[in-house]
Amino acid sequence: MFKYIETLFTFLYPIFRKWGLGSSVASYLSLVLNLAFLYVISYAIYVVFRLILVTVLAVLAKKTNTKFDDLLVSNKTAKYIAHLIPLLFIYKSVPIILERFEYWEGIFGKVVSIYIVVLVLWIIRTIFNALRDYLKLKPRYSDKPIDSFIQVIMIILWVVGSTLIISKLFDIDKKELLTILGAVSAVIILIFRDTILGFVSSVQVSINDMVRIGDWITMDKFGADGDVIEINLATVKVRNFDNTITTIPTYSLSSDSFQNWRGMLNSDGRRIKRHILIKTSSIRFLNENDLFELKKIQLITTYLAARKQEIDQFNLQNGIDKSLPINGRNLTNLGVFRKYITEYLSHYPGVNKDMLLLCRQLQSTAHGVPLEVYVFSYDKRFENYEYIMADIFDHIIAAAPYFGLELFETMSENKLGSFTKK
């Protein structure tokens, strides 16, 4: 084939010389015509191979069941390969056409070589992009940071390609160039610091399964609270619940603290952990009249009867003087209220009874005694979860007065003013 190329671009000069043209004129005239031939032939090769490659790949993509070839078509891989074939033809033809123009031969040879290197890297990039899109269609890989790994591979290939380009451009031996690059590695590391950190973090994120695409994460430092939509080498994109996009450096996932809600979403319930404040002055022992009224509350009727019998028996056996309520064992309105809340939660349809269900008293504060509900709702969707939590506390707040309990609230300015006047 190379013999035909050499014959094609060398037959004009001898003809012009036979016609009596000078060496210089014959050289320039044959150069112009050869360049015209080169352009026409290269363009014809490009059109033919583009038609063949694009058409063949498109037909194969339709006939096969795999999606990978369809993605190669959508990423225009065949089109770029069609560019490469005439470039190789030009690369072989330039030394022949510019044989008598050594200076220009060197320049054009370098330009074509650099273009070929860049084009090969671009073709590899389209193949990797097709592979990335193909893997994302697989449920097994849909939540993996594939972009990060592809970007790392492409960075390595671009470094290799840049080494080849520099060696071609300045006629430096590849071994000498690698020695020079080794000497300036500290500068390279400084320049690519974020990229290196991002790569290490991407590996850690993938191996330790810290974050997947689709996870709901919260990172207060960056104001992120939403779903992860993209993980690449440098950044992680989070679509917040107000539809804004927060960009987080990838290496922050391994260096800073963040909250991943995947465990909650994969569990059997979403935690409700909230408290109300009971005024300390409203807490008291219950007397017989109080117990009589509270037995009307169906959820604790059986409980109160059993507890009263147990306490009365204890006090009687131990000869307790009940002239004062503080003596012996007694029921308090706060304790009975806690039992009522527990029973209420046990009967509430939106609460998962197989998970922890608790109503507990926390450390007293200057604002009163905190009474905390700790349960898990079946429904983990945000709007339904909020509705269940609000419904539970609506009932608890409304039920508190039935037990003679008051909730703490800061005195308003109007009430404070009227109180001061009095």
Side-chain angles (χ1 to χ4, degrees):
M1 179 180 176
F2 298 131
K3 291 181 179 180
Y4 293 117
I5 295 174
E6 186 175 358
T7 303
L8 177 65
F9 293 113
T10 55
F11 79 97
L12 289 174
Y13 179 78
I15 292 175
F16 293 147
R17 290 289 289 162
K18 286 180 182 179
W19 289 354
L21 297 177
S23 176
S24 178
V25 175
S27 297
Y28 279 106
L29 187 58
S30 61
L31 173 64
V32 172
L33 292 175
N34 282 333
L35 289 175
F37 288 152
L38 180 64
Y39 174 78
V40 172
I41 295 170
S42 300
Y43 185 75
I45 292 172
Y46 166 69
V47 171
V48 171
F49 276 93
R50 178 181 176 182
L51 180 63
I52 294 172
L53 291 174
V54 172
T55 304
V56 169
L57 188 57
V59 171
L60 289 175
K62 289 181 179 179
K63 290 186 176 181
T64 58
N65 294 325
T66 180
K67 293 289 184 182
F68 183 67
D69 44 15
D70 296 288
L71 294 169
L72 288 175
V73 172
S74 62
N75 281 282
K76 301 179 181 179
T77 304
K79 179 182 176 182
Y80 291 119
I81 294 175
H83 276 92
L84 181 62
I85 296 170
L87 267 179
L88 294 174
F89 175 74
I90 293 172
Y91 179 75
K92 291 296 183 180
S93 303
V94 164
I96 299 170
I97 295 174
L98 299 175
E99 184 181 2
R100 295 177 180 83
F101 303 89
E102 293 183 3
Y103 176 76
W104 292 108
E105 179 188 347
I107 293 176
F108 279 105
K110 290 176 180 179
V111 170
V112 175
S113 299
I114 292 170
Y115 192 12
I116 289 173
V117 171
V118 172
L119 189 58
V120 168
L121 291 172
W122 202 259
I123 291 169
I124 295 172
R125 180 178 178 273
T126 62
I127 295 172
F128 275 123
N129 286 342
L131 180 63
R132 175 200 62 195
D133 297 337
Y134 177 72
L135 291 176
K136 285 185 176 181
L137 295 175
K138 303 286 185 181
R140 182 180 176 184
Y141 301 101
S142 60
D143 54 0
K144 297 294 186 293
I146 300 169
D147 289 326
S148 299
F149 296 109
I150 290 178
Q151 286 174 355
V152 170
I153 294 171
M154 287 308 303
I155 286 174
I156 295 172
L157 291 175
W158 277 108
V159 169
V160 174
S162 300
T163 304
L164 293 174
I165 290 171
I166 294 171
S167 65
K168 286 283 184 182
L169 198 58
F170 299 102
D171 294 322
I172 303 174
D173 185 73
K174 296 179 183 64
K175 293 183 179 178
E176 294 179 5
L177 183 59
L178 290 174
T179 304
I180 295 170
L181 290 175
V184 297
S185 59
V187 178
I188 294 174
I189 291 173
L190 183 63
I191 294 172
F192 293 102
R193 172 182 173 274
D194 290 345
T195 303
I196 295 169
L197 289 174
F199 169 64
V200 174
S201 297
S202 296
V203 173
Q204 289 179 337
V205 165
S206 179
I207 292 175
N208 299 323
D209 199 20
M210 295 166 62
V211 177
R212 302 174 189 169
I213 294 172
D215 282 356
W216 168 19
I217 68 169
T218 302
M219 202 167 190
D220 295 331
K221 180 179 179 180
F222 296 95
D225 184 17
D227 299 327
V228 176
I229 58 174
E230 182 180 328
I231 302 175
N232 55 44
L233 191 62
T235 59
V236 174
K237 290 184 180 179
V238 178
R239 180 184 287 113
N240 299 313
F241 294 123
D242 59 358
N243 287 326
T244 58
I245 303 295
T246 298
T247 302
I248 302 171
T250 306
Y251 59 80
S252 296
L253 296 177
S254 57
S255 62
D256 296 325
S257 175
F258 69 96
Q259 192 171 14
N260 191 330
W261 296 84
R262 188 203 314 157
M264 179 274 293
L265 294 173
N266 293 338
S267 69
D268 295 328
R270 183 173 178 180
R271 187 183 69 176
I272 295 174
K273 183 175 179 289
R274 183 178 287 186
H275 69 266
I276 57 173
L277 291 169
I278 305 295
K279 289 180 68 173
T280 309
S281 59
S282 67
I283 301 173
R284 59 182 176 82
F285 293 117
L286 296 174
N287 56 37
E288 293 293 334
N289 291 332
D290 295 327
L291 291 173
F292 178 78
E293 291 297 324
L294 289 174
K295 283 181 181 179
K296 296 177 182 178
I297 302 174
Q298 294 180 348
L299 288 177
I300 55 174
T301 301
T302 305
Y303 166 77
L304 288 176
R307 287 289 290 166
K308 186 177 185 310
Q309 183 180 356
E310 178 187 341
I311 290 172
D312 289 345
Q313 185 178 357
F314 174 85
N315 290 335
L316 182 62
Q317 289 175 352
N318 290 275
I320 302 299
D321 179 11
K322 293 304 296 177
S323 59
L324 289 177
I326 194 173
N327 293 331
R329 295 176 60 183
N330 295 279
L331 289 171
T332 63
N333 57 349
L334 182 59
V336 175
F337 187 46
R338 281 191 292 108
K339 179 61 179 178
Y340 170 77
I341 293 174
T342 303
E343 290 297 322
Y344 174 75
L345 295 173
S346 299
H347 289 79
Y348 191 84
V351 169
N352 189 339
K353 316 305 185 301
D354 296 327
M355 301 183 74
L356 183 61
L357 189 152
L358 181 67
C359 177
R360 61 175 180 166
Q361 184 184 137
L362 303 180
Q363 175 66 42
S364 299
T365 68
H367 297 147
V369 180
L371 201 61
E372 184 182 78
V373 168
Y374 195 107
V375 293
F376 292 82
S377 69
Y378 275 119
D379 203 325
K380 293 168 281 187
R381 292 171 295 179
F382 178 74
E383 62 276 15
N384 296 344
Y385 164 80
E386 290 290 335
Y387 173 82
I388 291 170
M389 183 164 55
D391 191 42
I392 289 173
F393 277 88
D394 286 349
H395 184 88
I396 291 174
I397 292 169
Y402 287 87
F403 296 82
L405 294 168
E406 296 180 32
L407 303 183
F408 174 83
E409 58 180 351
T410 305
M411 190 177 293
S412 66
E413 292 183 2
N414 292 335
K415 289 183 178 180
L416 185 61
S418 61
F419 178 78
T420 305
K421 290 177 183 177
K422 291 179 181 180

mmCIF file of all heavy atoms in Angstrom, residues 13 41 48 87 159 167 175 184 229 275 320 323 351 391:
data_model
loop_
_atom_site.group_PDB
_atom_site.id
_atom_site.type_symbol
_atom_site.label_atom_id
_atom_site.label_comp_id
_atom_site.label_asym_id
_atom_site.label_seq_id
_atom_site.Cartn_x
_atom_site.Cartn_y
_atom_site.Cartn_z
ATOM 1 N N TYR A 13 6.565 15.290 -10.262
ATOM 2 C CA TYR A 13 7.829 16.040 -10.342
ATOM 3 C C TYR A 13 8.647 15.644 -11.572
ATOM 4 O O TYR A 13 9.105 16.519 -12.322
ATOM 5 C CB TYR A 13 8.630 15.833 -9.046
ATOM 6 C CG TYR A 13 9.954 16.546 -9.050
ATOM 7 C CD1 TYR A 13 10.017 17.923 -8.814
ATOM 8 C CD2 TYR A 13 11.145 15.848 -9.313
ATOM 9 C CE1 TYR A 13 11.242 18.588 -8.827
ATOM 10 C CE2 TYR A 13 12.364 16.505 -9.329
ATOM 11 C CZ TYR A 13 12.400 17.873 -9.078
ATOM 12 O OH TYR A 13 13.618 18.522 -9.111
ATOM 13 N N ILE A 41 -8.334 12.971 -1.677
ATOM 14 C CA ILE A 41 -8.301 11.549 -1.341
ATOM 15 C C ILE A 41 -8.653 11.332 0.131
ATOM 16 O O ILE A 41 -9.416 10.426 0.478
ATOM 17 C CB ILE A 41 -6.912 10.960 -1.665
ATOM 18 C CG1 ILE A 41 -6.656 11.006 -3.175
ATOM 19 C CG2 ILE A 41 -6.802 9.514 -1.163
ATOM 20 C CD1 ILE A 41 -5.230 10.665 -3.568
ATOM 21 N N VAL A 48 -16.164 7.716 2.879
ATOM 22 C CA VAL A 48 -16.437 6.296 2.675
ATOM 23 C C VAL A 48 -16.445 5.547 3.999
ATOM 24 O O VAL A 48 -17.387 4.803 4.314
ATOM 25 C CB VAL A 48 -15.392 5.675 1.716
ATOM 26 C CG1 VAL A 48 -15.539 4.154 1.678
ATOM 27 C CG2 VAL A 48 -15.563 6.257 0.308
ATOM 28 N N LEU A 87 -6.456 10.400 8.667
ATOM 29 C CA LEU A 87 -5.296 11.004 9.328
ATOM 30 C C LEU A 87 -4.072 10.110 9.216
ATOM 31 O O LEU A 87 -2.948 10.584 9.000
ATOM 32 C CB LEU A 87 -5.617 11.259 10.801
ATOM 33 C CG LEU A 87 -6.161 12.640 11.161
ATOM 34 C CD1 LEU A 87 -6.455 12.728 12.634
ATOM 35 C CD2 LEU A 87 -5.176 13.729 10.762
ATOM 36 N N VAL A 159 -2.079 12.078 30.528
ATOM 37 C CA VAL A 159 -0.680 12.293 30.922
ATOM 38 C C VAL A 159 0.250 11.578 29.955
ATOM 39 O O VAL A 159 1.254 12.138 29.492
ATOM 40 C CB VAL A 159 -0.447 11.803 32.374
ATOM 41 C CG1 VAL A 159 1.046 11.772 32.697
ATOM 42 C CG2 VAL A 159 -1.183 12.700 33.362
ATOM 43 N N SER A 167 7.138 15.057 23.616
ATOM 44 C CA SER A 167 8.317 14.420 23.022
ATOM 45 C C SER A 167 8.357 14.628 21.513
ATOM 46 O O SER A 167 9.424 14.828 20.931
ATOM 47 C CB SER A 167 8.346 12.932 23.351
ATOM 48 O OG SER A 167 7.245 12.258 22.755
ATOM 49 N N LYS A 175 12.373 8.698 27.478
ATOM 50 C CA LYS A 175 13.002 8.407 28.760
ATOM 51 C C LYS A 175 13.488 9.670 29.441
ATOM 52 O O LYS A 175 13.342 9.846 30.656
ATOM 53 C CB LYS A 175 14.160 7.428 28.550
ATOM 54 C CG LYS A 175 13.728 6.034 28.108
ATOM 55 C CD LYS A 175 14.923 5.115 27.984
ATOM 56 C CE LYS A 175 14.482 3.714 27.552
ATOM 57 N NZ LYS A 175 15.648 2.808 27.385
ATOM 58 N N VAL A 184 9.991 17.115 38.453
ATOM 59 C CA VAL A 184 8.989 18.151 38.774
ATOM 60 C C VAL A 184 7.706 17.514 39.314
ATOM 61 O O VAL A 184 6.642 18.113 39.257
ATOM 62 C CB VAL A 184 8.671 19.015 37.522
ATOM 63 C CG1 VAL A 184 9.888 19.765 37.068
ATOM 64 C CG2 VAL A 184 8.105 18.153 36.393
ATOM 65 N N ILE A 229 -26.889 13.012 43.219
ATOM 66 C CA ILE A 229 -27.234 12.777 41.816
ATOM 67 C C ILE A 229 -26.011 12.481 40.949
ATOM 68 O O ILE A 229 -26.141 11.984 39.843
ATOM 69 C CB ILE A 229 -28.018 13.964 41.224
ATOM 70 C CG1 ILE A 229 -27.206 15.268 41.328
ATOM 71 C CG2 ILE A 229 -29.360 14.118 41.908
ATOM 72 C CD1 ILE A 229 -27.856 16.452 40.627
ATOM 73 N N HIS A 275 -39.708 15.762 72.148
ATOM 74 C CA HIS A 275 -40.200 15.847 73.532
ATOM 75 C C HIS A 275 -41.083 17.072 73.726
ATOM 76 O O HIS A 275 -41.062 18.013 72.926
ATOM 77 C CB HIS A 275 -39.031 15.876 74.525
ATOM 78 C CG HIS A 275 -38.223 17.147 74.457
ATOM 79 N ND1 HIS A 275 -37.090 17.261 73.694
ATOM 80 C CD2 HIS A 275 -38.389 18.354 75.066
ATOM 81 C CE1 HIS A 275 -36.585 18.473 73.821
ATOM 82 N NE2 HIS A 275 -37.358 19.161 74.660
ATOM 83 N N ILE A 320 -48.241 1.518 106.252
ATOM 84 C CA ILE A 320 -47.940 2.888 105.838
ATOM 85 C C ILE A 320 -49.048 3.832 106.292
ATOM 86 O O ILE A 320 -50.238 3.547 106.120
ATOM 87 C CB ILE A 320 -47.774 2.961 104.306
ATOM 88 C CG1 ILE A 320 -46.662 2.003 103.842
ATOM 89 C CG2 ILE A 320 -47.458 4.385 103.867
ATOM 90 C CD1 ILE A 320 -45.304 2.299 104.399
ATOM 91 N N SER A 323 -52.052 9.293 105.786
ATOM 92 C CA SER A 323 -52.600 10.627 106.047
ATOM 93 C C SER A 323 -51.867 11.685 105.224
ATOM 94 O O SER A 323 -52.411 12.753 104.925
ATOM 95 C CB SER A 323 -52.500 10.970 107.538
ATOM 96 O OG SER A 323 -51.131 10.926 107.957
ATOM 97 N N VAL A 351 -47.318 3.518 63.730
ATOM 98 C CA VAL A 351 -46.090 3.214 64.461
ATOM 99 C C VAL A 351 -45.731 1.744 64.289
ATOM 100 O O VAL A 351 -46.595 0.870 64.373
ATOM 101 C CB VAL A 351 -46.263 3.559 65.959
ATOM 102 C CG1 VAL A 351 -45.098 3.013 66.778
ATOM 103 C CG2 VAL A 351 -46.376 5.067 66.150
ATOM 104 N N ASP A 391 -49.457 14.362 64.178
ATOM 105 C CA ASP A 391 -50.705 13.783 64.685
ATOM 106 C C ASP A 391 -50.512 13.220 66.093
ATOM 107 O O ASP A 391 -51.366 13.398 66.976
ATOM 108 C CB ASP A 391 -51.163 12.680 63.732
ATOM 109 C CG ASP A 391 -52.581 12.220 64.029
ATOM 110 O OD1 ASP A 391 -53.440 13.079 64.292
ATOM 111 O OD2 ASP A 391 -52.820 10.997 64.017
#
